[in-house]
Amino acid sequence: WYLKLGPLSNADKKYSLGKLPTWAAFVDHPNYDEYWRRQAVAPYLGKPLVPNLNVAGWWDQEDFYGPLKIYETLEKNDPDHRNYLAAGPWNHGGWSNGDGRKLGKIDFGSDTARYFREKIQAPWFAFWLKDSGSLPLHEALTFETGSNKWESHDEWPPRRNVTRRKLYFRETGSLSFDSPRREGKQEFDSYVSDPARPVPYRQRPIEPTYPGPGWPVWLLEDQRFVHLRPDVLSWETEALNEDVVVAGDIVARLYASTSGGDSDWIVKLIDVYPEKVPADPKMGGYQLMIASEVLRGRFRRGFEKPEPVASNRVNEYTIDLHSNNHAFLKGHRIMAQVQSTW
């Protein structure tokens, strides 16, 4: 159907015939203009007047950005300490039902959703609405995946006992905390991206989004199904000699050129399991996506005023992979993937 449609502009001409206002908004407002600013929540958020418990799931396939952005915005003007955050290993709304022990093929070792409802949510409302008990968290409570434990923080992102570190893409597909030498030959990697043969975001065959079972857990899908495709670049560390914990914001900085006039840049941060996992042999070599995001090249300096991308010229792209709390365990590897279709 899509192939027969031709240009995407035909969707309205042939089918919706001007009757879908949301579609019209997408077409008429491709950039972040006044129309979209009116829709956004953050500009309307000021000083918190009532207690707020912002709840997020690390693998929320619907809206991971929202609760963290609301917490971040309210935190800027919270002198009375009414703004709180809880984040766990859930998909969209996964904290509100079930036991939360597993998501997809990943076992978190405890009933995380049940714990949240019983130990955080119920005491939270009891404290504020019934003057009963004590506050169940100081400021932020996050579930550190990988090590599978709850962590309490005075602020989020945490600053105490945190060291900013950089990972570098290196030659021969390696990823390293050691910066490359500046002298000598400049190294680079390249790939050919064909929009007619895009990198799928889920393994085929892909069932309908609703009510299909794949959509709620696609962010945890084993990334080996695209690893080593010629249009996906991968870099990975050696097996880690010690645990490496991410707690806070993750940012990717690409220095890249394209032969075209624009390009999408997708970056994924991945936890690569050892080839042998005695406790769960099915997880041997699993590539678990921890963080991911896409940026269109023309928006590299902001979403309000797109700028053309000069072909065959290196540009810097800053891609916000948002916030996370994950332990890459000893014996695991850290991987980064870059591609231009998703």
Side-chain angles (χ1 to χ4, degrees):
W1 184 88
Y2 285 105
L3 291 174
K4 292 178 181 178
L5 178 65
L8 199 56
S9 57
N10 285 341
D12 188 60
K13 295 176 182 177
K14 292 184 177 181
Y15 296 99
S16 54
L17 306 176
K19 298 178 181 179
L20 297 178
T22 300
W23 177 263
F26 291 148
V27 174
D28 296 339
H29 303 275
N31 308 321
Y32 192 69
D33 58 13
E34 185 58 32
Y35 175 86
W36 295 116
R37 280 190 285 271
R38 288 198 304 269
Q39 318 299 322
V41 171
Y44 298 95
L45 298 177
K47 177 182 176 181
L49 301 179
V50 297
N52 289 271
L53 178 59
N54 302 281
V55 186
W58 296 133
W59 287 282
D60 188 331
Q61 81 286 4
E62 304 280 356
D63 182 20
F64 173 65
Y65 175 83
L68 288 167
K69 182 63 177 179
I70 293 172
Y71 168 80
E72 174 191 324
T73 304
L74 291 174
E75 193 66 10
K76 296 174 182 177
N77 185 17
D78 185 33
D80 300 322
H81 194 201
R82 291 171 170 162
N83 190 40
Y84 300 82
L85 174 70
W90 309 305
N91 58 5
H92 191 64
W95 54 86
S96 62
N97 55 71
D99 56 32
R101 182 181 180 104
K102 296 185 70 175
L103 192 58
K105 295 182 179 180
I106 310 302
D107 190 327
F108 302 112
S110 64
D111 295 343
T112 64
R114 192 182 307 279
Y115 175 89
F116 169 76
R117 294 194 300 270
E118 295 179 357
K119 305 298 184 181
I120 306 300
Q121 189 175 35
W124 165 271
F125 284 109
F127 177 82
W128 292 111
L129 300 182
K130 298 182 179 181
D131 296 324
S132 174
S134 59
L135 265 178
L137 73 169
H138 177 64
E139 170 72 21
L141 184 73
T142 62
F143 188 84
E144 184 180 285
T145 54
S147 60
N148 293 339
K149 60 183 181 181
W150 289 99
E151 293 284 344
S152 182
H153 307 276
D154 295 331
E155 57 188 345
W156 190 265
R159 293 176 177 85
R160 186 181 304 173
N161 299 323
V162 171
T163 302
R164 289 179 175 269
R165 301 187 71 182
K166 295 181 180 180
L167 275 169
Y168 297 91
F169 297 168
R170 298 292 300 270
E171 60 278 3
T172 64
S174 63
L175 190 66
S176 176
F177 287 106
D178 298 324
S179 62
R181 295 188 301 272
R182 295 188 181 278
E183 69 275 5
K185 179 183 176 182
Q186 287 189 327
E187 298 284 349
F188 69 91
D189 292 300
S190 64
Y191 58 94
V192 176
S193 180
D194 183 357
R197 297 177 181 274
V199 180
Y201 76 109
R202 288 158 61 188
Q203 294 191 52
R204 294 186 175 102
I206 300 175
E207 76 281 348
T209 300
Y210 300 108
W215 168 251
V217 294
W218 81 267
L219 287 167
L220 299 94
E221 197 164 3
D222 190 346
Q223 295 300 302
R224 281 181 293 187
F225 80 102
V226 298
H227 180 48
L228 299 182
R229 273 183 58 131
D231 51 0
V232 177
L233 292 180
S234 300
W235 299 264
E236 63 179 325
T237 65
E238 296 292 331
L240 298 173
N241 295 320
E242 60 182 359
D243 295 355
V244 175
V245 178
V246 174
D249 296 335
I250 305 168
V251 176
R253 289 190 171 89
L254 293 183
Y255 296 86
S257 65
T258 175
S259 59
D262 202 355
S263 179
D264 288 339
W265 302 105
I266 294 101
V267 179
K268 307 173 186 174
L269 182 67
I270 295 168
D271 184 346
V272 182
Y273 284 55
E275 287 301 318
K276 293 184 178 180
V277 180
D280 190 355
K282 298 189 298 297
M283 294 301 295
Y286 199 92
Q287 294 183 5
L288 174 63
M289 189 161 61
I290 303 302
S292 56
E293 192 52 276
V294 57
L295 177 70
R296 181 148 294 176
R298 73 182 76 157
F299 296 120
R300 65 193 179 280
R301 293 191 176 94
F303 295 106
E304 295 84 2
K305 297 179 180 180
E307 296 183 15
V309 176
S311 60
N312 301 312
R313 183 183 299 173
V314 174
N315 285 287
E316 179 179 354
Y317 300 93
T318 300
I319 302 175
D320 183 3
L321 298 186
H322 311 299
S323 203
N324 216 289
N325 192 189
H326 179 77
F328 296 86
L329 300 180
K330 180 180 178 180
H332 288 225
R333 298 170 186 259
I334 303 174
M335 175 184 283
Q337 288 183 352
V338 174
Q339 59 201 60
S340 288
T341 53
W342 207 10

